[in-house]
Amino acid sequence: MTRPALRIGNASGFYGDRLDALREMLTGGELDVLTGDYLAELTMLILGRDRLKDPSAGYARTFLRQLEECLGLAHDRRVRIVTNAGGLNPAGLADAVRALADRLGIPVRVAHVEGDDLTAAHPGSLTAHAYLGGFGIAACLREGADIVVTGRVTDAALVTGPAAAHFGWTPDAYDRLAGAVVAGHVLECGTQATGGNYAFFREGDVRRPGFPLAELHEDGSCVITKHPGTGGFVDIGTVTAQLLYETGGARYAGPDVTARLDTVRLTQDGPDRVRIDGVRGEAPPPTLKVGRTRLGGFRNEVVFVLTGLDIEAKAALVREQMDTYAFAKSRPEEVRWELVRTDRPDADTEETASALLRLVVRDPRQDAVGRALSGAAVELALAGYPGFHVLAPPGKGAPYGVFEAGAVPRGEVGHLAVLDDGRRLPVAPGDDSRALEAVPEPPPPAPPAPGPVRRAPLGLVAGARSGDKGGDANVGVWVRTDEAWQWLAHTLTVDAFRRLIPESAGLPVTRHVLPRLRALNFVVEGILGAGVAAQHRFDPQAKALGEWLRSRHLDIPEALL
């Protein structure tokens, strides 16, 4: 017998998302399950530092604040809640939720998933966690849990777990699980699926986008939509953008299944409804990803304001003074300068007449980035360039983190579902696995017919979305017509990408082709250094790298413009 569709929503895309989203999703329409994603690479570092100060900490405290207002609503509406807000301490958050429920007099069964914490096996790490799949969540739900709290599971596991429990899927139901992974990937970042951070944002009202939900079917297909009357919009473009976010090639690997992104088919199914079907899955890799964070050293910065004339000469003077005097005896391990030309000629405000010269230093020793930098920078106040001032005086230097990715055999991770009554159910990995291999690039479409071209920004015909994975960045670029796809596939080569994004010129760049999405996905290795917490570049998570690419000019056929 075919089971009814599972309506599963999202109420958080990161630790710090809208506090009232939980209530919005519970009151805005029908739901069976409500998920919340709170974890990212940077979040694990933040929670690790919290745990250093307080061993009972390590979870997303804002989730408890949201739940205090909404636990009764969820209970009355029979909506189950699944969240990775447990972070480094899912057992602690589960206990805190039980205490909250007791205080409010609401009978709920709270379970949690553990086994991801491998920190003890990685000396020197602040945190080390394996990315678990959804079958621990499924075990908790099958045993009657109303709320399931996890630590580091994959973002998509928040959907694959409830789907496996609801439909009775087994670990070898790869096509169905792959469909759920794709649905979970679309939902995981909340309003990014409903017009947030969207290249063509002017096509709808995105002042306050509603959160997304998926109507998931037993065959793994789904419809992405949102509650009626909420802001934002859902169309093939918003879903495509999120599908490309923080992915690599056609094989999107996870602990439950490897989803083939090159098989995804998108269809507009009505206003604010996009159907996803055709997704194929393969056995997951034999290893689980492990994310490790550690303290990398200390960092400090100062931003000098250069106003009016002779900007380049003023910047050269500052650099010479700092190099000669501040760093003469003790030079930090890393010294980086960047001149940002925000000034314009004959400006009618002082701010628009000013450029910013940014100095960033890093070193394992706090003293090397603290007193030497702050003292020397301040001492230039009356001995530097004309108009000397800084945005803020440099401090003592702050610690920065490093994210590193590794792998561990699946069988070495003790995945456990811990039920409300204390029972601990081992979650065995599936029997099959498949080593991850790149998909050969498919044949290109026919080249476009020759015709007149015009020099114009890429973004007039293409959308883009970019993001980070450790020290790497990905930039997904897509177009909306077959004619534009013919042009894009032949024009935006790796060499062309490097010309448009000069920062990538000396780095490995891989192009992945996804014809069904009319999309190219570029992975740039090492552009983010040691990851977001190290703040290696101006945009440390590469969130705007795609928008920079869209602003670059190249020859575009006039027929597309």
Side-chain angles (χ1 to χ4, degrees), residues 219-468:
D219 64 356
S221 66
C222 72
V223 171
I224 303 297
T225 184
K226 63 187 185 70
H227 283 326
T230 56
F233 60 103
V234 179
D235 66 13
I236 289 176
T238 67
V239 174
T240 299
Q242 181 55 28
L243 278 175
L244 295 172
Y245 182 64
E246 294 182 345
T247 60
R251 285 190 166 103
Y252 184 57
D256 296 320
V257 65
T258 293
R260 290 291 298 261
L261 298 183
D262 56 345
T263 64
V264 174
R265 182 168 53 232
L266 304 180
T267 310
Q268 197 74 39
D269 196 46
D272 294 321
R273 293 177 64 83
V274 172
R275 179 173 175 78
I276 303 178
D277 62 9
V279 187
R280 295 291 176 258
E282 300 168 345
T287 58
L288 297 179
K289 178 181 174 181
V290 177
R292 300 188 299 267
T293 65
R294 60 179 174 83
L295 297 179
F298 295 86
R299 177 186 182 280
N300 206 353
E301 74 171 82
V302 60
V303 179
F304 301 90
V305 182
L306 316 174
T307 303
L309 305 177
D310 305 319
I311 296 295
E312 301 282 352
K314 289 172 181 174
L317 176 59
V318 178
R319 293 187 60 162
E320 184 176 1
Q321 288 178 311
M322 294 296 291
D323 286 340
T324 303
Y325 301 108
F327 304 139
K329 295 181 180 179
S330 178
R331 185 178 181 85
E333 190 174 86
E334 181 181 352
V335 177
R336 297 187 63 179
W337 293 91
E338 187 169 6
L339 177 60
V340 185
R341 296 301 300 264
T342 52
D343 58 304
R344 65 191 68 165
D346 195 22
D348 55 8
T349 68
E350 183 177 332
E351 187 169 4
T352 56
S354 300
L356 303 177
L357 178 63
R358 184 167 174 251
L359 168 62
V360 177
V361 295
R362 291 185 178 84
D363 198 277
R365 306 157 297 158
Q366 188 171 18
D367 283 352
V369 304
R371 287 194 298 269
L373 175 66
S374 57
V378 171
E379 287 169 7
L380 292 179
L382 303 181
Y385 59 86
F388 178 98
H389 65 287
V390 297
L391 289 185
K396 296 182 294 184
Y400 70 87
V402 171
F403 177 86
E404 298 164 330
V408 63
R410 288 192 298 167
E412 295 183 9
V413 176
H415 192 173
L416 285 172
V418 184
L419 306 182
D420 189 65
D421 59 11
R423 283 182 293 150
R424 302 170 66 83
L425 306 181
V427 180
D431 295 330
D432 296 327
S433 65
R434 175 174 177 166
L436 198 61
E437 299 175 345
V439 174
E441 184 167 313
V453 298
R454 189 195 323 161
R455 197 78 177 167
L458 173 63
L460 293 185
V461 295
R465 179 164 288 165
S466 54
D468 63 313

Side-chain angles (χ1 to χ4, degrees), residues 142-156:
R142 285 172 180 148
E143 293 292 328
D146 303 299
I147 297 177
V148 181
V149 172
T150 78
R152 179 71 277 186
V153 297
T154 64
D155 300 338

Side-chain angles (χ1 to χ4, degrees), residues 26-274:
L26 288 170
T27 58
E30 295 297 318
L31 284 178
D32 300 304
V33 178
L34 185 55
T35 66
D37 179 11
Y38 292 78
L39 300 185
E41 293 165 1
L42 180 61
T43 315
M44 300 299 278
L45 182 73
I46 293 169
L47 295 177
R49 294 181 64 182
D50 287 348
R51 189 171 60 177
L52 286 177
K53 301 173 187 175
D54 179 3
S56 68
Y59 55 79
R61 297 182 183 275
T62 53
F63 173 70
L64 282 177
R65 289 170 54 193
Q66 293 172 294
L67 201 60
E68 185 164 10
E69 293 183 3
C70 299
L71 185 57
L73 268 175
H75 179 262
D76 292 344
R77 293 171 180 255
R78 298 183 179 180
V79 177
R80 297 165 117 179
I81 295 175
V82 179
T83 179
N84 61 17
L88 313 184
N89 188 6
L93 179 56
D95 286 341
V97 172
R98 292 187 191 100
L100 173 64
D102 288 345
R103 178 163 58 84
L104 297 177
I106 301 171
V108 294
R109 288 164 293 186
V110 183
H112 73 274
V113 176
E114 60 183 42
D116 58 299
D117 193 346
L118 306 180
T119 308
H122 292 82
S125 296
L126 182 61
T127 66
H129 290 254
Y131 286 64
L132 302 180
F135 279 92
I137 296 169
C140 293
L141 293 171
R142 285 172 180 148
E143 293 292 328
D146 303 299
I147 297 177
V148 181
V149 172
T150 78
R152 179 71 277 186
V153 297
T154 64
D155 300 338
L158 302 178
V159 172
T160 62
H166 180 74
F167 296 117
W169 293 343
T170 55
D172 60 354
Y174 296 133
D175 288 348
R176 297 178 182 191
L177 286 166
V181 163
V182 169
H185 183 59
V186 174
L187 295 186
E188 70 184 51
C189 289
T191 52
Q192 281 196 172
T194 58
N197 292 349
Y198 182 52
F200 304 113
F201 66 96
R202 291 187 294 178
E203 294 181 357
D205 183 355
V206 295
R207 290 174 295 178
R208 189 176 175 82
F211 278 72
L213 64 95
E215 298 169 356
L216 191 60
H217 299 279
E218 191 166 5
D219 64 356
S221 66
C222 72
V223 171
I224 303 297
T225 184
K226 63 187 185 70
H227 283 326
T230 56
F233 60 103
V234 179
D235 66 13
I236 289 176
T238 67
V239 174
T240 299
Q242 181 55 28
L243 278 175
L244 295 172
Y245 182 64
E246 294 182 345
T247 60
R251 285 190 166 103
Y252 184 57
D256 296 320
V257 65
T258 293
R260 290 291 298 261
L261 298 183
D262 56 345
T263 64
V264 174
R265 182 168 53 232
L266 304 180
T267 310
Q268 197 74 39
D269 196 46
D272 294 321
R273 293 177 64 83
V274 172

